[in-house]
Amino acid sequence: MIRRTASLVAVAAALLTAPAFAADHATPEQAKSLVAEAVAYLKAKGPDEATKAFQDPKGSFRRGELYVFVFDTDGRYVASGANPKLAGSNAADLKDAEGKPIVQAMITETKDKPTAVIDYVWLNRQTNKVEHKHSYVTRDGRYIVGAGTYDQ
C-alpha cells in the first residue's frame, strides 16, 4: 500500500508540474470544427447576433486559445474573439510579424474556393509569445470566418 501511495503521489506531482498550456493546446480539427459551428451560427442568427456571441469571452465560441474572428470581403473586422475592440476597424492591410498581409491572403485564398488554411506569425495570447499560426477560414457570402491553432 505504501508503494502504491508513493506512485500516486509521484504521478500527481508530475501532472501538477506539467506545462499548463499543453492541455489547452488546440488541434487543427478543433479549429475547423469551431469555424464550421461559427459559420452555421452566422447563417442562423445573422451578423449582429453572431458578432455578440463570437466576442463573448465566456461564450461557447471561445475555447482555450481558440477564438473566432470574422472579416468582410473588404477586409473590415466584423468580430474578434481575441479583441472585441477591433470590430468595425479596417484590417485590409493587416500584416503579421514577418510582414505577410494576412487578411488579403484570407480574401484571396477564399475567392475561388470556400475554405483555406492561412499560415502566418501571430501573438499567442495564452503564452504571450509570437508563434507560427495556422488559421482555418471559410468564406460564407461576404464574410470570412476563421479560427487558428499554433504550432505545438
Side-chain angles (χ1 to χ4, degrees):
M1 182 69 167
I2 292 174
R3 175 182 268 166
R4 183 170 179 201
T5 302
S7 297
L8 291 174
V9 169
V11 168
L15 289 173
L16 289 174
T17 59
F21 67 88
D24 290 336
H25 205 70
T27 66
E29 293 76 23
Q30 290 170 322
K32 291 175 190 175
S33 176
L34 182 59
V35 170
E37 290 174 38
V39 169
Y41 193 89
L42 177 63
K43 285 181 180 181
K45 300 291 185 175
D48 292 338
E49 188 68 28
T51 295
K52 289 177 195 169
F54 299 159
Q55 296 187 150
D56 181 351
K58 295 181 186 204
S60 65
F61 291 98
R62 184 68 194 241
R63 301 174 190 167
E65 70 183 15
L66 283 180
Y67 57 87
V68 171
F69 57 83
V70 182
F71 297 103
D72 66 20
T73 53
D74 293 326
R76 186 164 293 283
Y77 261 112
V78 175
S80 172
N83 185 355
K85 293 178 184 176
L86 293 173
S89 67
N90 185 354
D93 296 325
L94 183 67
K95 295 180 177 156
D96 76 352
E98 295 177 340
K100 178 179 181 173
I102 58 175
V103 176
Q104 287 303 315
M106 291 177 191
I107 293 168
T108 301
E109 291 295 318
T110 60
K111 189 172 185 171
D112 296 324
K113 58 184 176 161
T115 62
V117 177
I118 309 298
D119 298 320
Y120 54 102
V121 180
W122 203 248
L123 176 66
N124 182 334
R125 294 178 182 272
Q126 286 204 319
T127 65
N128 207 32
K129 294 180 183 177
V130 174
E131 301 177 19
H132 288 275
K133 186 170 186 175
H134 316 282
S135 283
Y136 301 87
V137 295
T138 297
R139 183 185 288 222
D140 183 62
R142 58 185 287 259
Y143 300 106
I144 299 168
V145 181
T149 60
Y150 293 92
D151 283 349
Q152 295 183 12

